[in-house]
Amino acid sequence: MVSSSHEALHRIFQQDPGLFARAARHLGVAFPPPVSATELSTDLTETQPLERRVDTLLRMDTEDGSFLLAVESQGRPAPDKPASWAYYLSYVYAKYRVPPVLLVVCADRGTAAWAARQVDIGPRQWPSLTLRPLVLGPDDVPVIDSPDEAARDIPLTVLSAALHRRDPGADAILNALAKALKSVSADDEDTATTFIELTEQGLGTTQAAELWRHLMAVDLSFFQSQTAQQLRAEGRAEGQAESRAKDLLLLLGHRGVEVSEQDRERIVGCGDPDVLGLWFRKALTAASTAEIFASAGESGTAER
């Protein structure tokens, strides 16, 4: 039960809001006296369902103790995010009674710099809360472009690829990662497939993603039955023809094979994944589009 002394110690500020500024002087903090004060509802219960979700929340148990790791992926600065992050940390600390740490991962340097700022919550004279995120951005994770180094830490290399996806070193990271995944696939094909998918997701819609799909189609041909079956199943999915057409054009450009506008229209306009797959295999060694399209007497001219 709430005691009367408890009530008195806070209700007196309702009676005289200016008391706060006067009392705070004894703490060595100068607050200006209020010009006006409005009493608000003390009920902080949400009147409507409000869904709040942190991207990833992990309990980390170590030899030195336990802590909660809240991980947020942030694509761009958002003025309301610091308040949300402070809520997440306060909530999980109240719920689990385990110290929380916030990690913000940003693939954009400007966003990383924004997210790394310390945010004081409260008036400047005495902030009641201070938000100090740990931030991982492109400048905080090294470029891993050696297959041996990549093989020693595949997850870190995947993160390196995602954070450097717009940088000139992205191609080297992806080539190293593709080669390193060979050793993983030999022991655990499912794990390798998971890393492949995470890498593609992390690359988004950048040019690096196009290169990664090309590497998967060519350099990871060592995958055996399960992956081959999975790729065939994905080939039947909606939109696979468009993806294969892009891969074919990327491969032709990579090999320096000239592609006319008619050839390009023919490739992009083909909606049959099996045909595109056949053309792609031919494109691995063909010297011209005529060789790629040649089948049962076909030439390299566009279909009428």
Side-chain angles (χ1 to χ4, degrees):
M1 178 179 294
V2 178
S3 66
S4 57
S5 60
H6 171 92
E7 291 290 309
L9 289 176
H10 71 83
R11 282 180 182 261
I12 191 170
F13 291 96
Q14 296 178 14
Q15 294 300 118
D16 183 1
L19 175 62
F20 170 66
R22 301 193 299 274
R25 294 172 191 164
H26 298 284
L27 300 175
V29 184
F31 282 91
V35 175
S36 64
T38 303
E39 186 174 346
L40 303 177
S41 171
T42 58
D43 187 354
L44 302 183
T45 305
E46 300 287 356
T47 57
Q48 295 180 350
L50 181 62
E51 183 174 329
R52 296 182 186 268
R53 290 180 181 272
V54 65
D55 289 340
T56 289
L57 182 63
L58 303 171
R59 178 188 171 114
M60 310 289 277
D61 298 315
T62 74
E63 293 181 355
D64 295 331
S66 302
F67 66 93
L68 300 179
L69 179 62
V71 185
E72 283 279 280
S73 175
Q74 191 68 22
R76 62 182 183 275
D80 60 335
K81 267 298 181 178
S84 295
W85 291 338
Y87 175 90
Y88 298 161
L89 296 179
S90 299
Y91 179 85
V92 297
Y93 183 60
K95 180 176 182 179
Y96 297 103
R97 298 295 180 181
V98 178
V101 175
L102 172 64
L103 175 64
V104 183
V105 186
C106 311
D108 174 74
R109 285 179 171 82
T111 302
W114 165 82
R117 295 179 304 170
Q118 176 176 304
V119 177
D120 294 326
I121 300 176
R124 60 179 176 78
Q125 293 88 349
W126 192 266
S128 297
L129 293 175
T130 298
L131 181 69
R132 299 174 60 203
L134 289 174
V135 178
L136 285 178
D139 295 330
D140 304 302
V141 175
V143 171
I144 301 177
D145 53 9
S146 162
D148 291 339
E149 187 179 359
R152 285 193 291 270
D153 197 335
I154 295 290
L156 182 62
T157 308
V158 173
L159 180 61
S160 177
L163 294 183
H164 292 283
R165 61 194 182 192
R166 296 185 180 90
D167 295 346
D171 290 7
I173 300 173
L174 296 177
N175 277 286
L177 178 58
K179 293 175 182 177
L181 281 170
K182 292 182 180 181
S183 60
V184 177
S185 68
D187 300 324
D188 190 343
E189 187 177 334
D190 290 339
T191 298
T193 301
T194 297
F195 287 138
I196 292 171
E197 294 175 351
L198 285 173
T199 302
E200 182 165 357
Q201 291 173 4
L203 296 175
T205 59
T206 61
Q207 287 295 322
E210 298 289 342
L211 174 61
W212 183 244
R213 283 193 288 268
H214 162 65
L215 291 172
M216 294 305 93
V218 179
D219 291 350
L220 296 185
S221 58
F222 53 83
F223 277 124
Q224 301 302 317
S225 58
Q226 286 186 357
T227 300
Q229 292 172 7
Q230 179 181 351
L231 290 176
R232 285 196 296 270
E234 291 175 352
R236 301 186 189 98
E238 182 179 356
Q240 188 65 25
E242 180 181 354
S243 177
R244 289 193 177 185
K246 290 181 179 179
D247 292 341
L248 175 55
L249 291 171
L250 181 66
L251 175 59
L252 292 173
H254 183 72
R255 296 192 60 241
V257 176
E258 183 178 353
V259 180
S260 68
E261 188 60 32
Q262 286 182 318
D263 294 334
R264 182 178 298 275
E265 290 178 0
R266 180 175 184 179
I267 292 171
V268 173
C270 180
D272 190 333
D274 293 333
V275 172
L276 289 165
L278 174 63
W279 289 349
F280 187 94
R281 290 190 292 273
K282 288 186 176 183
L284 295 174
T285 57
S288 68
T289 55
E291 292 183 36
I292 296 172
F293 296 141
S295 176
E298 286 187 332
S299 67
T301 60
E303 293 178 344
R304 298 286 188 247

